Amino acid sequence: MLKESLKIRQSPGENYRRWFADDDLDLVTWQTTSGKLSAFQLCFNKTTDERALLWRRGQTLTHCLVDSGEPGPTRNLSPMLVDSPIPDLPHLIAKFNDGSANIDPEVRQFVLSMLQENITSFITLLGTESPGGVYLLRVYLAQPTTLTFGRHRGGTPIPLPRGEYLYIGSALSALTNRLLRHATRGGNQPAHQIRDALHSTLIETGLKGKLPTQKTVRWHIDYLLDLPSAEITAVLALRTDQKLEKPLAESLAALPETLPVSPGLGASDHPGQTHLLQVKKGNHCWERIINDWSICHQENHREFI
């Protein structure tokens, strides 16, 4: 359980700082003289793969890996924060909710509300009329792996580095069912953390559908999304009856921030192309893609990127 440390050094000119900690979580808050939170830093996974969520009033929530430095005789152990997509927010919310029951209730509620708010901020739905459309999944692979995508390339295993990936797909008649299927894993594995928030958002926008009770691996992308180390961290969907999957995939593949994983992967009906793209390390183009899709949807033309 989080407990507040009462011996915290304050810095001149900085808002009042508080520190709450337990074995796995650290919460540092900055508050104005009126008690209003101006910023917080929530560190988690302290004993394994430490990460931090950073929030400052007027800015969006960001997620960082905590790099403790390089081991060895000449090691540098000064901690550094390295930008990373936000994975597994619902699990962190549950962990923080359980561990923060005894701290300042106003601080606790504020942090929980900011975490909850940012789950839905990773779901963007454009358009209002069609039950189908095209979509883009943002996927974070937590560890490098070598994966066989069914019979693709004769079953040759493909190396996948740790990092971020984009997948473009379409479902022109049942967008809800397709997206919820992607967010479900096979067997008794837990669903992707974004699934419940995705389901609620789809319902709120008039796209109804049932949560799948089971899933059988069928398409190339299923092999990646079924991995416990792969997590859908964001969804962008455009409701339309136009067949835009191919031009959108070509536009995304032409971005300097992306690399094709393997020709034909996830695109058996799109010769020479791939609909699964690796995002180069250090490049986060998600917000620009959302903006481009939004502008082009409003202008009703097909030059998306």
Side-chain angles (χ1 to χ4, degrees):
M1 298 291 288
L2 287 168
K3 293 184 179 180
E4 183 171 7
S5 176
L6 301 179
K7 296 181 179 181
I8 300 299
R9 184 174 62 183
Q10 303 297 325
S11 300
E14 186 179 83
N15 285 337
Y16 185 74
R17 183 169 53 174
R18 302 173 72 181
W19 179 23
F20 309 85
D22 65 13
D23 291 340
D24 191 52
L25 298 172
D26 273 328
L27 173 65
V28 180
T29 66
W30 287 263
Q31 296 175 248
T32 63
T33 53
S34 64
K36 188 175 183 179
L37 262 70
S38 60
F40 70 77
Q41 176 176 300
L42 178 61
C43 297
F44 55 103
N45 293 351
K46 288 163 54 178
T47 58
T48 53
D49 183 21
E50 188 172 4
R51 300 161 182 263
L53 287 177
L54 312 174
W55 175 85
R56 188 178 300 275
R57 189 166 295 280
Q59 300 180 14
T60 58
L61 189 73
T62 59
H63 172 257
C64 298
L65 300 177
V66 181
D67 185 352
S68 59
E70 299 177 358
T74 59
R75 63 184 180 179
N76 174 14
L77 293 181
S78 298
M80 296 178 61
L81 298 179
V82 183
D83 287 345
S84 174
I86 298 181
D88 211 2
L89 257 184
H91 179 69
L92 176 59
I93 289 171
K95 181 185 294 186
F96 179 77
N97 185 61
D98 291 340
S100 62
N102 296 330
I103 72 171
D104 183 329
E106 292 187 8
V107 170
R108 178 176 187 260
Q109 186 54 46
F110 184 86
V111 174
L112 281 172
S113 66
M114 290 304 301
L115 297 179
Q116 291 283 1
E117 179 181 312
N118 276 272
I119 291 182
T120 55
S121 71
F122 289 91
I123 302 169
T124 304
L125 301 180
L126 304 172
T128 57
E129 297 180 358
S130 175
V134 292
Y135 58 87
L136 184 63
L137 304 182
R138 182 182 182 183
V139 181
Y140 184 70
L141 184 62
Q143 60 187 39
T145 188
T146 300
L147 187 63
T148 300
F149 290 86
R151 290 180 289 180
H152 176 66
R153 289 178 50 182
T156 301
I158 297 175
L160 299 175
R162 170 182 174 176
E164 190 174 359
Y165 294 81
L166 301 176
Y167 173 72
I168 181 76
S170 66
L172 296 181
S173 61
L175 183 60
T176 296
N177 292 342
R178 180 65 57 82
L179 291 175
L180 294 178
R181 184 185 186 279
H182 283 318
T184 303
R185 291 188 175 91
N188 296 320
Q189 296 188 86
H192 288 256
Q193 296 292 330
I194 203 172
R195 190 180 73 162
D196 287 344
L198 177 61
H199 189 208
S200 299
T201 303
L202 290 166
I203 291 175
E204 290 172 3
T205 56
L207 285 171
K208 297 182 179 180
K210 295 182 178 179
L211 287 172
T213 57
Q214 58 183 357
K215 174 181 175 180
T216 301
V217 172
R218 180 188 308 165
W219 298 304
H220 290 158
I221 189 60
D222 291 343
Y223 293 90
L224 174 61
L225 296 181
D226 229 37
L227 294 177
S229 57
E231 195 72 34
I232 297 174
T233 59
V235 176
L236 170 60
L238 172 61
R239 297 173 64 177
T240 178
D241 56 5
Q242 298 183 55
K243 296 181 178 181
L244 299 177
E245 181 180 2
K246 292 181 181 180
L248 286 174
E250 292 173 359
S251 297
L252 290 168
L255 293 176
E257 297 94 340
T258 63
L259 293 170
V261 172
S262 176
L265 185 60
S268 56
D269 60 346
H270 195 181
Q273 298 294 321
T274 177
H275 291 190
L276 180 63
L277 304 167
Q278 179 189 352
V279 179
K280 295 178 183 178
K281 186 176 181 180
N283 287 310
H284 303 300
C285 52
W286 185 258
E287 291 186 1
R288 181 162 66 85
I289 293 172
I290 292 177
N291 184 60
D292 289 341
W293 280 39
S294 299
I295 292 174
C296 293
H297 166 61
Q298 293 168 3
E299 294 178 355
N300 194 28
H301 64 75
R302 295 168 65 129
E303 299 294 332
F304 274 77
I305 303 295

